[in-house]
Amino acid sequence: MARTPDPKKAYLELHGGTWRVTVSVPVPVRRALGATKLVHNLGTDSLREANVLKRKHVERFKRRIAEAMEAVGRPGVDDMKIAVEFSKVAEELKRNGSAEDWQEFQEAVYERHAEIRWKDARWVRVEDPEEGPNEVEEALPEQTEKAMLFSAISHGRATPVDLMHEDYRKQLFVKDRTRADDARALRFLQEWCKRERIPATLQEIDVRRAHAFADALVEMTGLHHVTLNKYIGRLSGYWQWMVPRTAAVSGNVFANVRLKGPKEKHDQKERPFKDSELADLLRGPAPPKLRDLMLIGALTGARLDAIVDLKVRDTAYNCFLFKPQKQEASARYVPIHADLAELVARRTAGKQPEDDLFPEWPPVKKADSMRERSFKASNRFTEYRRSVGVDEVVPGKRRSLVNFHSFRRWFSSRMEQAGVPGEMISAIVGHKRSSITLDVYSEGPHMRAARRAIAKLKLPPLDGSPIRDEMTLRPRAHPR
């Protein structure tokens, strides 16, 4: 077992009949200081006198060690990362370690434990019943907690919640923005643990605390319950991934954790464009770079980011090849509608296969930006949509009930009205539930059926003639 120091003899050692001050030197700076410990003989055999005299020497030695640490670049090293490395050593020692190995390991852990605990400690005056008034060093409570956590992790009794998170994020096939959601969700959990004085370890987060964390999120962040449920879902995915990979997690504690909020009314859900609204958008004064996006959105059902990311090569075989989005496993082909033939010919003329179809909407230049390439196009479309009077704002909702995604909803609803089977619609728009694969190389029956389906889609009249919008069985509430 590692020795536990007597508080009355902290930093003191009896040597040759007199007391001397001793302060251990951390391993990284032992070579720089030329010693494993710093020593100063106090020249007294009285423990009471030694405790009075030691303080200035302890502080002097600590300053010297701190300067050496700074010189070798030690500041900034994460104590918990060191603890994790120690835990790996502990696992190996459990299998093959000798008693001497364990003694050396425990001494090393204790040395770092003490270094953490006594960081920024203060000197306080106390009354000793036997020896009278004395000054002793008192550790800060938060440093004591950090030191205890360090020892628990080092010995494998605790596992930091973020230990495996980077490995988890690396195997995700999602957008950078979703990866950022994962990081933000874990940060919320760590902040809650800090606020509640709970060690941020996997062993401490059980089902009860997972629910308590969720309940506290609204007050902590002020975000809408739908957004917060997204973050809880990201944590649930992380926990589920860890279950077969570490003994520290026996189950997904976030599996059934959800925040409840007011149920969204039917007339407050985002919806497709009406035919009249679609006509207003396409007849309005939109610049070609925006009008072309809208046309492709309406006649393919593709998401905006997939459209702006198209290359010239992605228009071969009289099909668009859209990159995978959301839960799509792979890229997908969509036949090019006849009404898009002129647009494609114009945008591919004189260009190389690797050229952008929409160079007017370039990628975000900032390397660490989480914004999608379509960010500026989306903002410009919103401004334009509002300028032509196509909008529906509901009090209490941040977004309009119509947006660029309404082209995708319009496409699906009009295909359904044209009698196209749901399985084919899903294959064209890239819904996960479809089992149909559209292959351009063999031009099999599914692709031929997809071309016939796309041909059934008709844009509303754009010549100014009256447009009668389709009636639905559920009328929408009129804005007041």
Side-chain angles (χ1 to χ4, degrees):
M1 292 291 292
R3 59 183 176 86
T4 301
D6 181 349
K8 295 179 182 179
K9 299 177 182 177
Y11 302 109
L12 292 176
E13 180 180 84
L14 192 60
H15 181 74
T18 59
W19 292 101
R20 66 181 185 179
V21 178
T22 67
V23 177
S24 294
V25 176
V27 174
V29 292
R30 285 178 180 176
R31 178 175 295 181
L33 295 180
T36 59
K37 60 183 178 181
L38 301 179
V39 180
H40 178 83
N41 197 312
L42 296 171
T44 180
D45 60 0
S46 168
L47 181 58
R48 180 185 299 179
E49 290 179 3
N51 269 300
V52 172
L53 296 171
K54 73 181 180 182
R55 177 175 175 176
K56 66 178 182 180
H57 300 292
V58 171
E59 291 179 345
R60 174 167 60 87
F61 288 158
K62 284 189 172 183
R63 285 196 301 271
R64 188 175 169 189
I65 291 170
E67 290 169 358
M69 289 284 203
E70 188 172 0
V72 300
R74 178 64 174 277
V77 173
D78 189 336
D79 293 322
M80 295 308 114
K81 288 182 180 178
I82 298 296
V84 169
E85 293 305 312
F86 271 133
S87 71
K88 295 175 183 177
V89 174
E91 282 296 317
E92 180 63 28
L93 290 179
K94 288 176 184 177
R95 292 190 293 268
N96 306 310
S98 65
E100 291 77 13
D101 292 333
W102 266 111
Q103 180 68 22
E104 185 177 349
F105 170 79
Q106 289 177 310
E107 289 287 350
V109 172
Y110 177 76
E111 182 179 291
R112 188 61 180 267
H113 171 106
E115 184 183 326
I116 297 168
R117 183 182 181 190
W118 297 106
K119 183 179 184 295
D120 299 326
R122 57 187 180 179
W123 293 88
V124 296
R125 189 176 180 84
V126 297
E127 291 290 336
D128 191 297
E130 299 178 1
E131 301 183 12
N134 195 6
E135 280 192 323
V136 298
E137 198 174 25
E138 184 177 80
L140 297 174
E142 58 268 27
Q143 289 302 121
T144 299
E145 288 181 10
K146 285 180 66 176
M148 297 298 291
L149 180 59
F150 174 84
S151 292
I153 293 172
S154 296
H155 286 90
R157 298 190 301 269
T159 309
V161 293
D162 60 352
L163 178 61
M164 304 178 71
H165 199 242
E166 192 55 36
D167 289 338
Y168 167 70
R169 293 175 71 210
K170 285 178 181 176
Q171 57 85 46
L172 292 174
F173 294 96
V174 295
K175 294 180 180 178
D176 288 343
R177 190 168 61 183
T178 303
R179 292 182 198 277
D181 288 340
D182 275 284
R184 192 174 297 114
L186 190 66
R187 189 166 65 248
F188 285 151
L189 179 60
Q190 290 170 315
E191 289 173 359
W192 177 78
C193 287
K194 184 177 181 180
R195 189 180 79 162
E196 299 298 319
R197 304 293 293 272
I198 296 170
T201 64
L202 297 177
Q203 290 82 355
E204 293 291 334
I205 308 300
D206 56 15
V207 172
R208 180 177 60 83
R209 282 182 170 161
H211 280 276
F213 161 70
D215 292 340
L217 271 178
V218 175
E219 179 264 324
M220 282 176 60
T221 66
L223 298 174
H224 193 273
H225 75 278
V226 173
T227 301
L228 295 178
N229 279 331
K230 174 183 68 174
Y231 292 132
I232 294 170
R234 301 315 303 171
L235 289 173
S236 178
Y238 176 42
W239 248 256
Q240 189 62 42
W241 179 83
M242 286 191 291
V243 169
R245 291 174 171 83
T246 174
V249 173
S250 59
N252 181 3
V253 298
F254 288 96
N256 299 311
V257 179
R258 288 292 181 274
L259 289 172
K260 291 184 179 180
K263 190 173 181 180
E264 192 175 54
K265 298 178 181 178
H266 178 75
D267 60 1
Q268 293 182 346
K269 293 181 180 180
E270 295 182 6
R271 60 174 178 81
F273 287 124
K274 301 174 185 176
D275 281 355
S276 58
E277 291 172 327
L278 189 64
D280 288 341
L281 289 167
L282 295 177
R283 288 190 306 225
K289 65 178 183 180
L290 192 57
R291 188 175 189 275
D292 289 353
L293 290 179
M294 294 190 292
L295 276 170
I296 295 178
L299 295 173
T300 64
R303 295 181 176 90
L304 179 57
D305 197 59
I307 298 173
V308 299
D309 212 42
L310 285 169
K311 302 284 188 183
V312 170
R313 66 166 183 264
D314 296 328
T315 61
Y317 310 106
N318 198 29
C319 285
F320 289 117
L321 178 60
F322 291 115
K323 67 179 184 180
Q325 298 265 285
K326 300 290 184 180
Q327 300 299 317
E328 297 171 18
S330 60
R332 60 190 171 82
Y333 286 102
V334 175
I336 295 176
H337 193 283
D339 288 348
L340 295 175
E342 181 277 328
L343 181 159
V344 172
R346 169 168 41 86
R347 288 194 165 270
T348 57
K351 292 183 178 180
Q352 297 300 311
E354 295 299 318
D355 290 343
D356 286 327
L357 199 66
F358 286 94
E360 306 97 321
W361 307 110
V364 179
K365 292 182 179 179
K366 195 173 179 181
D368 59 348
S369 175
M370 296 295 176
R371 290 175 172 174
E372 297 175 336
R373 178 172 180 171
S374 59
F375 174 73
K376 288 187 177 180
S378 178
N379 286 347
R380 189 66 60 83
F381 171 73
T382 300
E383 294 170 1
Y384 170 73
R385 174 177 58 73
R386 290 170 178 166
S387 74
V388 296
V390 177
D391 202 9
E392 185 171 352
V393 178
V394 174
K397 284 188 70 72
R398 181 173 58 89
R399 297 198 343 162
S400 170
L401 301 188
V402 288
N403 45 55
F404 197 92
H405 206 77
S406 295
F407 287 116
R408 183 175 172 86
R409 298 186 182 98
W410 180 87
F411 175 91
S412 295
S413 63
R414 294 302 177 269
M415 291 284 274
E416 186 177 327
Q417 290 171 4
V420 177
E423 186 82 355
M424 176 57 71
I425 298 173
S426 294
I428 293 172
V429 300
H431 284 165
K432 189 176 180 180
R433 62 178 178 269
S434 178
S435 60
I436 293 177
T437 300
L438 301 179
D439 188 350
V440 297
Y441 299 104
S442 62
E443 191 72 23
H446 287 157
M447 178 55 76
R448 290 195 293 271
R451 293 192 189 280
R452 290 193 296 271
I454 288 289
K456 293 180 179 181
L457 191 65
K458 305 296 181 185
L459 289 171
L462 303 180
D463 57 4
S465 57
I467 297 175
R468 185 175 181 178
D469 289 312
E470 294 282 343
M471 291 185 64
T472 62
L473 296 177
R474 295 182 180 181
R476 302 186 63 82
H478 293 288
R480 295 180 181 178

